């Protein structure tokens, strides 16, 4: 264990046990960063009442019981314990981290984690909200995988439902070939809107569209063929976006709504027989406790409409059952827009009633906040259409070209650096704010080379690479010992020790922004180290080696961290 906060927590817990009895050794020692020391423990204040002593007395008892060894401790204020780690301890831990292939990232007992993310709708176009669920979900998938979990990606594509009646008729009107070409080119949104307009204004078309729905549901061969083509060509477009972004989703991860179609009747039967679902006004409903609508009436989750049709909630319930029973999920993460919060709360509550979700198999909604335009409204183009993602990503690359310095790269090198920087900027902007907050999509801000941005971190990483290039040193061959002379060296080393714990917390809490903030702090600590401590020009050979070691460790932490965020780093920038 190298994370300083965890090490200190353990020590203070030992002291709690020694001073007040073993029953106190499980207490949270409340370790926080401190202005006056490396960390402070606030537990004396929270325990004082229970122990019937003053906080300062409690703090003194803890200091007396603390195995200080390589940490120094001081009581301050009303009873804070100020904790400062010894330089020797930090240096040894940092050298150990450098020799550790996993740079401190633990491998806890593996879990099966199903991650439902991206999930665009084939009936409409992929919009910028899907971009965010895709990016956040992909980071969670990469992080769990890195921790050793068995990750099953599930792209819950919206590929089924009544709109396909209308879309198939429109496809026939436009002509099969032309329609499919347009869908593969990402024109799905306009295609959908045309169909919708016709449906609303042309009774003849509306009638045809309505007749098409039972044909699709009944498995009519010709209709199914058209539907399959429709989905396939739309998927080509989604795949292009995934490829542009460097996202790990493949066709094997597609588990769209249509996949659950054959399971819906049975899922409903099971819910009805177990008494979880009841018939109400002709519809089969679950009334999960605690959900009320107008007039405090119990709110139904409708799983089979009175006409026998199934909906979005039915599919999600069948999907939970499948994910728990067949995929053997321990944990299911739904990376989906925050606007669907009530839906998921009710679906999860119903699945718990059914015994599908338990303490051993849990589901969580990772709520994704909206992406806004500069006007503070949902992000759209000027004409009001939602933005075509391939074009948006293309624009990021073009703008990135203007940001990267001119170092005489040839055109293709320039283009490839711009692609990495452009995609890094877009992804980092999504990941660095907490996933449930809204944020404004702003190319200038996300492409800035200073501040908490993707390009800043890419630049910081490329700069460390250039130190090794200039010194003709291979960073993978550098080793300790590490000597901590300057405050900036100490601050950097201390920061690097926390990497493993941050990665673990990203997986545990599903909060990628923690990793972003951490990497930003690392890059800043490195900058101040670099400004204050000559590396290649260090006079003393041992100091030079130590500084190279700190640089190599920083490089590895940044590269590994950015890789978990799905962000590539150009060799030079
Ligand atoms: N296709 C849906 C949408 O675009 C998201 C699906 C999320 N996943 C799920 N299991 N419901 O809003």
């Amino acid at each position: 264990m190298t994370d300083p906060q965890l090490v200190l927590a353990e020590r203070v817990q030992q002291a709690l046990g020694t001073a007040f009895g073993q029953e106190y050794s499980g207490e949270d020692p409340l370790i926080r960063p401190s202005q006056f020391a490396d960390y402070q423990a606030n537990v004396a204040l929270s325990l004082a009442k229970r122990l019937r002593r003053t906080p300062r007395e409690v703090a003194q008892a803890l200091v007396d019981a603390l195995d200080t060894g390589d940490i120094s401790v001081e009581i301050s204020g009303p009873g804070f314990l100020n904790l400062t780690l010894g330089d020797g301890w930090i240096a040894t831990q940092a050298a150990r981290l450098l020799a550790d292939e996993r740079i401190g990232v633990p491998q806890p007992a593996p879990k099966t984690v199903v991650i439902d993310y991206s999930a665009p709708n084939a009936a409409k176009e992929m919009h910028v909200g899907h971009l965010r669920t895709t990016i956040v979900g992909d980071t969670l998938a990469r992080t769990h995988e890195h921790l050793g979990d068995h990750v099953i990606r599930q792209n819950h594509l919206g590929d089924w439902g009544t709109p396909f009646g209308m879309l198939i008729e429109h496809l026939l009107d436009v002509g099969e070939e032309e329609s499919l070409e347009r869908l593969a080119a990402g024109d799905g949104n306009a295609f959908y809107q045309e169909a919708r307009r016709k449906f609303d204004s042309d009774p003849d078309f509306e009638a045809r569209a309505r007749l098409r729905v039972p044909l699709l549901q009944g498995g009519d061969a010709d209709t199914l063929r058209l539907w399959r083509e429709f989905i396939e060509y739309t998927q080509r477009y989604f795949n292009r976006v995934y490829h542009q972004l460097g996202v790990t989703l493949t066709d094997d991860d597609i588990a769209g709504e249509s996949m659950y179609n054959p399971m819906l009747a049975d899922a409903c039967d099971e819910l009805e027989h177990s008494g979880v679902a009841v018939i109400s006004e002709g519809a089969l409903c679950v009334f999960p406790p605690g959900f009320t609508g107008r007039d405090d009436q119990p709110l139904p989750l409708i799983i089979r409409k009175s006409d026998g049709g199934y909906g979005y909630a039915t599919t999600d319930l069948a999907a939970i059952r499948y994910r728990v029973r067949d995929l053997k999920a321990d944990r299911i993460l739904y990376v989906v827009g925050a606007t669907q919060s009530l839906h998921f709360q009710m679906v999860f509550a119903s699945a718990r009633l059914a015994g599908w979700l338990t303490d051993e198999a849990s589901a969580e909604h990772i709520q994704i906040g909206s992406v806004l335009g500069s006007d503070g409204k949902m992000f759209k183009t000027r004409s009001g259409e939602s933005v075509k993602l391939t074009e948006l990503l293309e624009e990021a690359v073009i703008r990135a070209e203007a940001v990267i310095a001119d170092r005489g790269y040839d055109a293709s090198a320039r283009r490839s650096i711009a692609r990495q920087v452009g995609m890094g900027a877009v992804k980092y902007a999504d990941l660095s704010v907490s996933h449930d907050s809204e944020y404004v999509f702003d190319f200038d801000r996300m492409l800035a080379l200073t501040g908490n941005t993707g390009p800043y971190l890419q630049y910081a990483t490329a700069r460390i690479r250039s130190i090794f290039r200039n010194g003709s040193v291979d960073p993978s061959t550098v080793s300790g010992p590490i000597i901590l002379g300057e405050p900036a060296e100490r601050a950097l080393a201390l920061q690097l020790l926390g990497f493993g714990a941050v990665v673990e917390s990203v997986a545990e809490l599903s909060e990628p922004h923690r990793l972003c903030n951490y990497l930003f702090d690392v890059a800043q600590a490195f900058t101040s180290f670099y400004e204050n401590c000559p590396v290649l020009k260090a006079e003393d050979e041992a100091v030079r080696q130590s500084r190279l070691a700190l640089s190599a460790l920083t490089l590895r932490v940044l590269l590994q961290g950015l890789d978990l965020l799905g962000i590539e780093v150009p060799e030079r920038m």
Side-chain angles (χ1 to χ4, degrees), residues 458-489:
Q458 289 171 316
Y459 177 73
T461 312
R463 195 176 50 182
I464 304 177
R465 277 182 169 154
S466 80
I467 298 174
F468 285 98
R469 237 187 348 260
N470 294 340
S472 304
V473 181
D474 174 355
S476 67
T477 61
V478 180
S479 65
I482 286 173
I483 308 160
L484 301 177
E486 297 290 323
E489 292 175 299

Side-chain angles (χ1 to χ4, degrees), residues 116 119-121 130 156 158 257 312 316 323 334 336 340 343-344:
D116 180 320
N121 300 313
H130 293 118
H156 196 87
E257 292 179 10
Y312 190 54
D316 261 325
R323 290 166 182 181
Y334 289 82
V336 187
Q340 297 189 31
H343 163 77
F344 283 114

